[in-house]
Amino acid sequence: MGLFDSMLTSASGLTAERLRMDLIANNLANANTTQSGRVDQNGRPLPYQRRVAVLAEREPADFQAAFQAVLNGSAGGTAAGRAPIGRGVRVVEIAADNRPFKLKYDPTHPDADEAGYVRLPNVDVVTEMVDLISASRAYEANVTALNAAKSMAMRALEIGR
Amino acid sequence: MVKIGSYPVMPPVANLTEPKAQPADRSQSFGAYLAQAIDKVAADQVQADQAARGLVTGEIQDVAQVMIASEKATLSLQLLVQVRNKVIEAYQEVMRMPV
Amino acid sequence: MVRFPPAVDFLEQGLAASSARHATLANNVANVNTPGFKRSYVEFETLLQDALSAGAGNGLAGRTTDPRHIPIGTGSHGAVPRIAPIVREAQDREARMDGNNVNMEVEMANLATNQLWYGALTRQISDQFARLRLAIDGRR
């Protein structure tokens, strides 16, 4: 895998982290949304459900070829423990967080049930902020990797000049 | 009155010899000098190659050392090439002289 | 026609290894938040050193027919071995709760080091070619 492909790898990281940040922004915006448009089995409105991105490593382009490369040894190395170079990260799905909703006692709320409890989204602001910082740091790291690849390729262009 | 004899005087200059014109130091012929220079240039090239190899194998972590060795090799080769050019020019100049 | 010095071959392989290393590091960085992901690294320098120490003494030296010829090749450091870089997965025992063992700071430091190494290698190759060009066309 060369420098050009590695730029695509970094781009996949940028995409994934940006999606995470979008989801976090949406979670924060809907942290107090008691009506998401869906209803539960009793017909009462369901609050907004936290959404989170599920990430996984991207498969090598040609899995067969990569598998063969691992099976065949090359000079100086054992086949065990070798791996093809990965192609970055992908978002498998945007999953809903199935943890229980928060309950708040507020009989005056229009969405309160008979006991006076209101169901609030299962969004924890602190967790979202920590995730936001992590996603933002990872985004910057991917930008650095992309710039490094670009500068290395430009140095290679100057060989012999 | 001060006695002249008590002043420190320069010793007589009988030990000085006349500077005589000496013939040029012929310890090395130009050919031997040139051969030495070429050997040195070759040694510099080998040094630079070994430094580059050390950089690739990771034995040499100091990039400056490699850069310096490389620059030395380039400069000594450049000097040798220019000396060769001058020698050829001089030879051609001499051959152009009318007898 | 030109007998390129073995250093050029070494440097070329170093550049290939550096390229592979960057791709591996970029993949590690992209997957820093992927659960269960294990970082990979590239093994090259140790393999090259092993191959060189194993093959020392049976090197190629340019044949000189006249004592005034400038020798090509050192002759005592072995023929240039062809080493392909190997990518390995690091099964570190220290991993975060989601099974990910990518240490962001280490990866960024390695990224910077590798970038500089790549630059040094390209400069060295350029210098090798410049010296050859100087010898070929000496009227500069």
Side-chain angles (χ1 to χ4, degrees), chain C residues 75-133:
Chain C
S76 61
H77 296 275
V80 181
R82 290 247 116 208
I83 301 290
I86 297 181
V87 180
R88 294 197 195 278
E89 225 175 58
Q91 304 291 339
D92 297 333
R93 271 171 299 128
E94 305 105 24
R96 292 190 288 280
M97 276 181 52
D98 58 354
N100 187 308
N101 68 351
V102 173
N103 185 340
M104 178 67 90
E105 286 77 17
V106 171
E107 300 303 314
M108 296 312 285
N110 287 338
L111 206 68
T113 307
N114 187 48
Q115 187 178 354
L116 289 170
W117 191 49
Y118 193 91
L121 293 175
T122 49
R123 268 295 299 268
Q124 284 305 302
I125 282 197
S126 287
D127 284 356
Q128 293 277 338
F129 287 147
R131 279 200 284 276
L132 284 170
R133 208 172 281 132

Side-chain angles (χ1 to χ4, degrees), chain A residues 1-3 6 9-10 12-13 16-17 20 55-58 74-90 134-135 137-138 140-142 144-149 151-153 155-156 158-161, chain C residues 15-16 18-35 37-38 40 42-43 47 82-89 104-105 108 111-112 114-116 118-123 125-127 129-130 133:
Chain A
M1 176 189 264
L3 289 175
S6 76
T9 300
S10 294
S12 77
E17 300 300 337
R20 278 183 75 209
L55 302 175
E57 195 185 351
R58 262 164 137 205
S74 92
T78 62
R82 299 167 52 119
I85 301 181
R87 290 198 313 138
V89 64
R90 66 188 175 98
S134 148
R137 211 169 66 117
E140 281 169 20
N142 276 298
T144 304
L146 188 71
N147 284 336
S151 99
M152 282 160 75
R155 293 299 303 270
E158 289 175 10
I159 292 177
R161 266 225 276 146
Chain C
L15 282 177
S18 183
S19 236
R21 181 164 290 149
H22 177 84
T24 307
L25 291 170
N27 190 47
N28 290 347
V29 167
N31 280 290
V32 68
N33 288 313
T34 305
F37 176 81
K38 301 287 180 238
S40 323
V42 167
E43 207 177 305
L47 297 174
R82 290 247 116 208
I83 301 290
I86 297 181
V87 180
R88 294 197 195 278
E89 225 175 58
M104 178 67 90
E105 286 77 17
M108 296 312 285
L111 206 68
N114 187 48
Q115 187 178 354
L116 289 170
Y118 193 91
L121 293 175
T122 49
R123 268 295 299 268
I125 282 197
S126 287
D127 284 356
F129 287 147
R133 208 172 281 132

Side-chain angles (χ1 to χ4, degrees), chain C residues 40-63:
Chain C
S40 323
Y41 61 95
V42 167
E43 207 177 305
F44 173 72
E45 285 90 340
T46 45
L47 297 174
L48 187 59
Q49 284 184 21
D50 288 344
L52 284 172
S53 54
N58 55 342
L60 286 171
R63 196 165 68 89

Side-chain angles (χ1 to χ4, degrees), chain A residues 12-83:
Chain A
S12 77
L14 292 172
T15 306
E17 300 300 337
R18 251 254 293 178
L19 183 70
R20 278 183 75 209
M21 285 197 266
D22 288 346
L23 289 175
I24 290 166
N26 196 38
N27 287 341
L28 287 173
N30 284 297
N32 289 313
T33 304
T34 50
Q35 293 186 15
S36 65
R38 295 178 301 134
V39 293
D40 65 4
Q41 62 265 37
N42 297 335
R44 282 188 292 119
L46 277 176
Y48 172 82
Q49 207 171 15
R50 176 174 177 254
R51 287 210 266 284
V52 68
V54 177
L55 302 175
E57 195 185 351
R58 262 164 137 205
E59 301 296 327
D62 186 7
F63 189 67
Q64 275 294 88
F67 194 58
Q68 277 303 114
V70 171
L71 286 181
N72 306 334
S74 92
T78 62
R82 299 167 52 119

Side-chain angles (χ1 to χ4, degrees), chain B residues 31-51:
Chain B
Y33 173 80
L34 199 58
Q36 242 181 34
I38 292 177
D39 283 341
K40 179 74 176 36
V41 169
D44 283 347
Q45 308 297 310
V46 167
Q47 275 278 79
D49 282 4
Q50 281 179 5

